[in-house]
Amino acid sequence: MAKSTNINNRRYLGNKYKLLPFIKSVIDAECTDVEIFVDIFAGTGAVASAFQDRQLITNDILYSNYICNYAWFSPGKYSRKKVEQIIDAYNAMIIHEENYMTINFSDTYFSHDDCSKIGFIREDIEKKFTDGEINERERALLITSLLYAMDKIAKTCGHYDAYRQGAEFDMHLELYLPEASTANNKKNKCFNTDSNELAGKVAGDLIYIDPPYNSRQYCDTYHLLENVARWEKPEVFGVARKMDRTALKSRYCTRSAAEAFEDLVNQLNCKYIALSYNNMAKKGNDRSNARISDQDIFRILSGKGEVKVFSEEYKAFTAGKSDIEDHQERLFLCKCEERK
C-alpha cells in the first residue's frame, strides 16, 4: 500500500509553508468577510492550502505548479482507491526501457534506471488519460505524485540549476499517494497563465500576491519538473539539460518588476490585497536583491487604499556568500477603497 504525502512535502524556493501561521493570523485579524481567496502567484499552493475553508482561485505560470494545484484544490471527483492502486502498480514495476528521460537525463539528476521509470510512468499516465481510464483530477494527482517523488530523490540542492556531479544514487523513485480532499469548494478554479493577464479577469475578496523577489527565474530553477509535467519532449541543452524557457520568463525578475507590479495592482478587483515581499533590498548577493523597492510598493498599493505592514523574522535564501542579518518576511496589507 502506497505511503501518503501532503502539499508541503516539496522543496521550493520562497515556499511560505513555515510562514502560514503569520500570514493567516494577519489576514484573520485584519480582513472581514473573505469568502473568495485568490492566490495569483500560487507556486506550490502552500498559502492557498491554509484557506481551503473558502472558495479558492489559484494561478501559476508554471504548468508543473498548476497541475499540482489542480490536484490539491480542484472540485473534480476522483477515486482514491483507483489512484492508490495505480501508484502501487508503478512502485512495483522494474523498468528497463530507453525513453525520452534516459536519452536526455541519465546519470545527471537521476540514475539511468530511475530515468527509465520516470519516462515510462509519465507516458503511461497520458495513455491512461487518453484511453479514458482516469479522469482529469486523477491524471493531475498521478503527475503530482510523480513530481513529488522526483523531487525527493533528485541529486540537487533543491532546484535544477545544476546536478551534483559524482553523487551516489542511493535513493530510488517511490510514488506516494497525495492526501487531496474530496470535498473542495465546488467553485474553486485553477489557472495556468501570466498573472498580469489574469488580474483583470478574476475577482475575489482577498487577492494574495507572492511574486518572484529577485533575478532568479523559477522556470530556470524548476525546468526539469516543468518538462516532465508538460511532457512535450522538447530538445534540451547545456550541462543542466534545460529546455527553451523563453515563454515562461517573469518580468518580476527583471528591472521592469515595479512596472509589472503596478500594472497588476491597477487591474485588481477585490476588498483586500495582501503582498508578501521580503526586505532584501540591497542586502545580499546581487541576484538575491529585491527587484521592487519599498517606496514603489507603498506608492502603488496606496493608490488602491490604506496600507499596513506586518513583519516576521525569517531565514533568507541566498546563493551568494552574503551574511544577511535582520532578514524579515513582510506582509503588506491594503484595504481597497472601492471595488469595480
Side-chain angles (χ1 to χ4, degrees), residues 217-263:
Q217 292 278 357
Y218 278 77
C219 59
D220 294 346
T221 307
Y222 298 103
H223 63 94
L224 182 47
L225 297 182
E226 183 71 2
N227 190 344
V228 171
R230 288 178 177 272
W231 206 236
E232 294 163 351
K233 302 174 192 167
E235 182 181 353
V236 296
F237 45 88
V239 175
R241 314 302 293 149
K242 294 182 179 180
M243 61 186 181
D244 181 6
R245 304 166 311 287
T246 307
L248 301 174
K249 299 286 186 181
S250 172
R251 288 171 65 199
Y252 291 85
C253 300
T254 71
R255 288 188 175 89
S256 62
E259 181 185 326
F261 179 60
E262 185 163 17
D263 171 64

Side-chain angles (χ1 to χ4, degrees), residues 157-327:
C157 296
H159 45 87
Y160 297 83
D161 269 335
Y163 54 87
R164 286 154 51 194
Q165 299 194 14
E168 182 183 350
F169 296 107
D170 51 348
M171 295 174 65
H172 297 288
L173 193 75
E174 181 183 3
L175 276 63
Y176 288 23
L177 176 68
E179 288 288 356
S181 174
T182 55
N184 287 333
N185 190 302
K186 288 181 169 57
K187 295 181 180 178
N188 282 2
K189 293 178 183 174
C190 302
F191 291 94
N192 173 215
T193 189
D194 180 275
S195 296
N196 283 56
E197 291 182 12
L198 183 65
K201 300 173 185 174
V202 295
D205 297 311
L206 185 144
I207 296 183
Y208 175 72
I209 306 173
D210 183 22
Y213 296 168
N214 53 45
S215 67
R216 291 183 174 84
Q217 292 278 357
Y218 278 77
C219 59
D220 294 346
T221 307
Y222 298 103
H223 63 94
L224 182 47
L225 297 182
E226 183 71 2
N227 190 344
V228 171
R230 288 178 177 272
W231 206 236
E232 294 163 351
K233 302 174 192 167
E235 182 181 353
V236 296
F237 45 88
V239 175
R241 314 302 293 149
K242 294 182 179 180
M243 61 186 181
D244 181 6
R245 304 166 311 287
T246 307
L248 301 174
K249 299 286 186 181
S250 172
R251 288 171 65 199
Y252 291 85
C253 300
T254 71
R255 288 188 175 89
S256 62
E259 181 185 326
F261 179 60
E262 185 163 17
D263 171 64
L264 179 89
V265 168
N266 287 342
Q267 296 185 69
L268 296 181
N269 180 10
C270 56
K271 290 194 285 190
Y272 304 97
I273 298 169
L275 167 72
S276 280
Y277 214 74
N278 66 31
N279 69 335
M280 285 295 290
K282 298 292 182 185
K283 287 185 179 182
N285 172 282
D286 183 58
R287 289 190 68 199
S288 299
N289 289 338
R291 287 289 169 188
I292 308 176
S293 69
D294 283 5
Q295 291 87 346
D296 279 333
I297 291 173
F298 278 110
R299 176 182 60 80
I300 293 164
L301 289 179
S302 295
K304 297 287 278 194
E306 178 193 358
V307 181
K308 294 182 181 180
V309 188
F310 304 84
S311 63
E312 174 108 331
E313 299 296 326
Y314 193 62
K315 184 179 179 184
F317 170 85
T318 173
K321 293 184 167 61
S322 314
D323 183 16
I324 299 167
E325 298 178 353
D326 302 321
H327 175 74

Side-chain angles (χ1 to χ4, degrees), residues 1-141:
M1 183 180 291
K3 300 172 188 172
S4 62
T5 190
N6 292 302
I7 194 168
N8 60 304
N9 293 331
R10 184 178 160 197
R11 300 174 291 180
Y12 199 76
L13 296 179
N15 191 317
K16 296 297 184 295
Y17 186 76
K18 292 179 180 177
L19 286 168
L20 287 184
F22 162 61
I23 294 170
K24 198 161 190 316
S25 66
V26 170
I27 290 174
D28 288 346
E30 299 285 330
C31 307
T32 56
D33 300 323
V34 176
E35 296 179 7
I36 304 173
F37 184 92
V38 182
D39 192 348
I40 207 160
F41 292 87
T44 61
V47 173
S49 73
F51 296 90
Q52 281 188 267
D53 57 338
R54 49 207 96 183
Q55 182 187 343
L56 293 177
I57 298 174
T58 65
N59 175 64
D60 202 272
I61 196 170
L62 293 185
Y63 185 81
S64 48
N65 287 336
Y66 157 77
I67 201 68
C68 293
N69 287 324
Y70 192 91
W72 296 116
F73 305 129
S74 166
K77 300 295 183 186
Y78 79 94
S79 166
R80 179 189 168 96
K81 182 178 179 182
K82 184 200 295 183
V83 172
E84 187 171 23
Q85 286 176 341
I86 293 170
I87 287 173
D88 285 340
Y90 285 155
N91 284 335
M93 289 177 181
I94 299 172
I95 307 295
H96 294 299
E97 68 169 27
E98 296 301 319
N99 53 42
Y100 175 78
M101 291 299 295
T102 60
I103 292 166
N104 290 291
F105 299 102
S106 277
D107 300 325
T108 57
Y109 306 94
F110 310 99
S111 69
H112 179 277
D113 287 349
D114 282 319
C115 281
S116 186
K117 194 163 186 175
I118 292 165
F120 172 85
I121 290 172
R122 186 63 190 87
E123 190 72 25
D124 192 65
I125 292 170
E126 286 309 297
K127 185 176 186 304
K128 280 180 166 52
F129 181 63
T130 302
D131 292 348
E133 292 179 40
I134 56 175
N135 65 26
E136 194 168 0
R137 181 101 187 266
E138 289 159 352
R139 173 183 179 269
L141 285 160

